[in-house]
Amino acid sequence: MSDTTISLSRWLIEQERTHGHIPGSLRLLIEQVARACKRISHAVNKGASAGIMGSAGSENIQGEVQKKLDVIANDVLLEANEWGGHLAAMASEELERIHVIPHRYPRGEYLLMFDPLDGSSNIEVNVTIGTIFSVLHLADGVSEVGPEHFLQPGRQQVAAGYCTYGPQTTLVLTLGHGVTVFTLDSSQGSFVLTQEGLRIPESTREFSINMSNLRHWAPPVQRYIDECLQGKDGPRGKDFNMRWVGSMVADVHRVLARGGVFLYPWDRREPDRAGKLRLLYEANPMALLVEQAGGMAMAGTERILDIQPTSLHQRAAVMLGSSEEVALLQKYHQEAQ
Ligand code: AHG
Ligand code: MN
Ligand code: MN
């Protein structure tokens, strides 16, 4: 490691000491999450050689079959964050109820939410997967922490980020002062700073949506995608490219890295469900990152970060990325009202 390399730990200490952007307890929390992500990354890398591929033979609260790696990643995150004294409780895609910090450990002032393994359908095919996380502050004066304390609008997140397990293990983080990227240097076993002040280009020619659901979408989404598909000859006057990895972390990472728009909209198959993705530990952390990078994140006409959650595992429609495109989508939704 050269002298100019800045590790995640050093960067976090500078955020605390020099910029006053975070208190020490939040710094420790982020370090613990990063440590857990390193352990998950090692497990993912070992794959079939460690016998951790395939189904765990159980279902989570969403009725989805859990993969062994979903369970391993969830356990790693719970274990790493339980004893440090910085948390009051955790919530996970893989747990029906919140996990309150046991009495044998000191109780902290933060709440942590996570999708331990995002993109689990891509585990078997060796395609990028990841961990998504979000941090909230527990309201003052709470003696018994309950699920209701997690039901805060996403704009109140004090930190959010994700880690991708792909060709590189990358940690993308916001503390509400822009977006910073760290890459795991596996020879050193530490995350090193690789990009600060990440910005999403305002314009793009790339969209990301599961096209197989086209016939089920609402008219504004159909209109938007139809106009993209018309390319140069249509109202947009330019050709578009399409990408769909099927792991939100990988698709959103591409949007952050080079622009684009990512959509997982409401569709008429389950009209009572807002969308497929979960608000608290998928949509909200990604929305904060995207806004902090100068993009937009909407759920139709409403900003994702302004949604008042009503339950722990609720879903949200998601349209995020380059601001010109998301603003156009918002306009089409407003016109259809
Ligand atoms: P998870 O693996 O945590 O359940 O999340 C899967 C999500 C998300 O990562 C991705 O964008 C989407 O499901 C893919 O959905 P399709 O199956 O429609 O492609
Ligand atoms: Mn997910
Ligand atoms: Mn998951």
Side-chain angles (χ1 to χ4, degrees):
M1 203 187 282
S2 74
D3 288 338
T4 53
T5 301
I6 297 175
S7 66
L8 172 67
S9 300
R10 177 173 164 187
W11 184 85
L12 285 169
I13 285 175
E14 285 169 1
Q15 295 305 302
E16 179 187 350
R17 193 191 286 156
T18 315
H19 306 295
H21 284 169
I22 48 169
S25 52
L26 183 55
R27 171 170 65 79
L28 289 171
L29 194 171
I30 303 294
E31 294 221 45
Q32 277 311 115
V33 170
R35 215 162 277 154
C37 290
K38 266 191 262 181
R39 286 175 58 194
I40 299 168
S41 174
H42 285 138
V44 168
N45 287 163
K46 283 185 198 156
S49 73
I52 52 170
M53 305 294 271
S55 163
S58 48
E59 277 190 3
N60 65 13
I61 170 69
Q62 343 270 342
E64 300 158 344
V65 174
Q66 289 178 306
K67 300 283 177 68
K68 284 182 191 167
L69 269 172
D70 286 321
V71 176
I72 292 169
N74 188 59
D75 289 348
V76 166
L77 280 155
L78 290 177
E79 195 278 328
N81 287 288
E82 207 176 45
W83 46 268
H86 44 265
L87 283 180
M90 294 180 251
S92 164
E93 180 193 359
E94 305 302 337
L95 299 174
E96 180 174 2
R97 298 194 169 82
I98 64 165
H99 179 89
V100 178
I101 300 301
H103 289 305
R104 62 182 179 278
Y105 300 120
R107 196 186 87 168
E109 57 187 312
Y110 295 104
L111 303 171
L112 175 65
M113 286 148 290
F114 45 82
D115 174 355
L117 221 284
D118 175 67
S120 13
S121 71
N122 278 326
I123 294 171
E124 266 70 43
V125 290
N126 198 5
V127 166
T128 299
I129 50 182
T131 297
I132 310 172
F133 63 92
S134 160
V135 184
L136 290 167
H137 201 263
L138 176 66
D140 290 339
V142 173
S143 52
E144 276 303 295
V145 58
E148 65 277 17
H149 299 115
F150 286 81
L151 306 183
Q152 304 179 32
R155 61 174 183 273
Q156 289 177 212
Q157 292 170 100
V158 294
Y162 64 82
C163 189
T164 61
Y165 314 118
Q168 297 116 39
T169 295
T170 311
L171 178 70
V172 180
L173 177 68
T174 183
L175 304 171
H177 302 274
V179 175
T180 311
V181 184
F182 303 87
T183 305
L184 183 63
D185 177 344
S186 51
S187 64
Q188 302 291 332
S190 60
F191 281 104
V192 296
L193 176 66
T194 44
Q195 193 179 1
E196 270 190 304
L198 184 150
R199 304 293 293 172
I200 300 179
E202 281 169 33
S203 303
T204 182
R205 290 164 178 255
E206 197 160 70
F207 66 86
S208 185
I209 191 166
N210 185 340
M211 286 294 291
S212 67
N213 297 328
L214 184 146
R215 69 189 187 285
H216 306 298
W217 300 330
V221 177
Q222 291 197 349
R223 173 184 176 190
Y224 173 79
I225 295 296
D226 179 57
E227 290 180 358
C228 290
L229 294 175
Q230 290 179 51
K232 266 203 188 90
D233 308 325
R236 302 302 308 277
K238 59 182 181 180
D239 288 334
F240 278 79
N241 185 31
M242 193 207 86
R243 286 287 183 273
W244 183 254
V245 177
S247 300
M248 187 193 203
V249 275
D251 283 311
V252 173
H253 190 65
R254 185 189 55 256
V255 166
L256 283 163
R258 69 175 185 209
V261 57
F262 169 88
L263 295 101
Y264 215 116
W266 169 91
D267 83 43
R268 65 183 92 259
R269 284 169 300 177
E270 289 191 68
D272 298 335
R273 197 172 89 165
K276 177 180 184 184
L277 300 171
R278 278 57 57 114
L279 176 62
L280 293 187
Y281 41 82
E282 290 180 318
N284 270 344
M286 293 312 202
L288 187 66
L289 286 162
V290 164
E291 286 201 3
Q292 284 292 315
M296 286 177 69
M298 305 293 295
T301 52
E302 188 178 16
R303 183 182 172 227
I304 289 175
L305 295 179
D306 284 339
I307 298 174
Q308 173 60 54
T310 52
S311 69
L312 211 51
H313 297 288
Q314 86 183 66
R315 317 270 177 156
V318 172
M319 333 190 290
L320 58 78
S322 295
S323 54
E324 278 182 11
E325 299 304 309
V326 182
L328 185 62
L329 274 156
Q330 183 190 10
K331 181 171 161 265
Y332 288 177
H333 279 81
Q334 278 162 347
E335 286 173 7
Q337 270 186 338

